[in-house]
């Protein structure tokens, strides 16, 4: 794949808003992305939640050229900007949702003129990440037991954004790891609230971290895996779409 694209899952002909989901990846890799990799599959239930929450919106999965961030090249962020630049004129608002490396990409592209909000789930925001004037609402959420990306670094980035005057909602999910499988219903609810514009706790208070209430007592990842399987079976990638590459 020599160009980035969107795999559309829903595309109403009169849609003016796009919900675009950006998957995770690796620190370094120029291997092409594939449809059945775990980071991409993890985004399908979020796409299903977005479709239900915003039936009049287009919903799609971002497909980067490569699996890796690749240092200063920052390929996923560059690919995301390229796709945003090439959207048809009727798409005037884009809501970005990213996980892990995709969370870093949506934050990096969050100042694009078409972006109307950013939701980053367990984002990879390393120390020293450039501060971007992200167009709000800005929602950051991290599992407290994540050992792949660092919740403290997410909180530090939220502090910097808030200190610059950007309201940010920062959530912590107790008992959750990087794969977002143990509290899948809570992650889906975050997506729904974000898409419908009802996310609470947007604030410039630099120290505010909200523990997201647990909707289920179970920490079993089986529910999350089932959510992925059901969404992948129920939804399909549409032929054609907003971009042809």
């Amino acid at each position: 794949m020599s160009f980035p694209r969107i795999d559309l899952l829903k595309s109403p002909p009169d849609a003016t808003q796009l919900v675009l989901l950006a998957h995770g990846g690796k620190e370094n890799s120029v291997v092409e992305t594939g449809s059945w990799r775990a980071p991409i599959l993890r985004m399908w239930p979020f796409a299903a939640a977005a479709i239900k929450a915003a039936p009049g919106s287009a919903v799609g999965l971002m497909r980067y050229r490569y699996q890796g961030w690749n240092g200063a090249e920052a390929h996923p962020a560059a690919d995301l900007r390229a796709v945003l630049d090439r959207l048809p004129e009727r798409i005037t608002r884009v809501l970005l949702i990213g996980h892990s490396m995709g969370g870093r990409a949506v934050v990096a592209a969050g100042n694009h003129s078409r972006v109307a909000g950013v939701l980053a789930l367990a984002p990879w925001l390393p120390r020293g990440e450039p501060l971007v004037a992200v167009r709000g609402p800005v929602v950051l959420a991290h599992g407290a037991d994540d050992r792949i990306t660092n919740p403290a670094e997410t909180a530090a980035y939220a502090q910097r954004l808030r200190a610059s005057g950007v309201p940010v909602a920062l959530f912590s999910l107790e008992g959750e790891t990087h794969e977002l499988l143990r509290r899948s219903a809570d992650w889906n609810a975050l997506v729904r609230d974000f898409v419908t514009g009802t996310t609470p706790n947007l604030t410039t208070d630099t120290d505010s971290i909200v523990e997201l209430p647990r909707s289920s007592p179970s920490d079993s990842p089986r529910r999350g895996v089932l959510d992925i399987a059901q969404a992948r079976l129920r939804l399909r990638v549409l032929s054609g779409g907003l971009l042809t590459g």
Side-chain angles (χ1 to χ4, degrees):
M1 181 172 61
S2 59
F3 52 85
R5 71 171 193 266
I6 297 173
D7 283 350
L8 278 174
L9 305 182
K10 185 169 185 179
S11 183
D14 57 349
T16 59
Q17 176 173 275
L18 168 67
V19 181
L20 184 55
L21 298 107
H23 63 82
K26 302 178 179 179
E27 185 172 355
N28 295 290
S29 175
V30 292
V31 176
E32 290 187 358
T33 59
S35 299
W36 293 93
R37 294 184 62 245
I40 297 176
L41 291 173
R42 186 62 193 91
M43 305 308 291
W44 282 76
F46 302 146
I51 289 171
K52 185 175 181 179
S57 298
V59 178
L61 302 172
M62 181 68 199
R63 296 296 301 277
Y64 322 119
R65 290 169 295 167
Y66 311 119
Q67 293 182 20
W69 185 265
N70 302 322
E73 296 292 338
H75 283 129
D79 289 353
L80 185 52
R81 284 190 171 276
V83 163
L84 291 170
D85 285 341
R86 293 165 55 202
L87 291 173
E89 290 185 3
R90 67 180 174 86
I91 301 297
T92 58
R93 299 180 82 254
V94 180
L95 298 177
L96 297 177
I97 301 172
H99 171 226
S100 191
M101 183 184 76
R104 188 179 186 181
V106 299
V107 168
N111 60 351
H112 191 281
S113 60
R114 277 191 165 119
V115 172
V118 167
L119 169 60
L121 308 175
W124 173 31
L125 293 171
R127 185 172 300 179
E129 184 72 2
L131 189 66
V132 175
V134 183
R135 300 167 69 89
V138 180
V139 184
L140 307 178
H142 220 122
D145 295 340
D146 195 326
R147 299 295 180 263
I148 304 298
T149 56
N150 191 337
E153 290 176 343
T154 296
Y157 197 88
Q159 285 184 326
R160 293 167 61 201
L161 271 180
R162 287 166 168 169
S164 73
V166 177
V168 178
L170 176 62
F171 295 102
S172 175
L173 281 75
E174 194 68 32
E176 184 56 281
T177 61
H178 189 67
E179 292 76 18
L180 318 184
L181 296 175
R182 295 182 179 276
R183 295 181 57 177
S184 59
D186 297 327
W187 294 108
N188 291 343
L190 272 175
V191 169
R192 287 193 298 269
D193 288 349
F194 173 72
V195 171
T196 58
T198 58
T199 302
N201 303 113
L202 288 161
T203 180
T204 55
D205 176 0
T206 56
D207 295 325
S208 174
I209 302 177
V210 176
E211 172 60 41
L212 197 71
R214 188 185 300 269
S215 61
S216 169
S218 174
D219 280 336
S220 171
R222 287 179 291 181
R223 168 67 184 275
V225 173
L226 182 60
D227 279 350
I228 293 171
Q230 289 176 335
R232 190 62 184 87
L233 289 171
R234 187 168 67 251
L235 301 176
R236 63 184 181 86
V237 176
L238 305 178
S239 60
L242 294 172
L243 297 176
T244 57

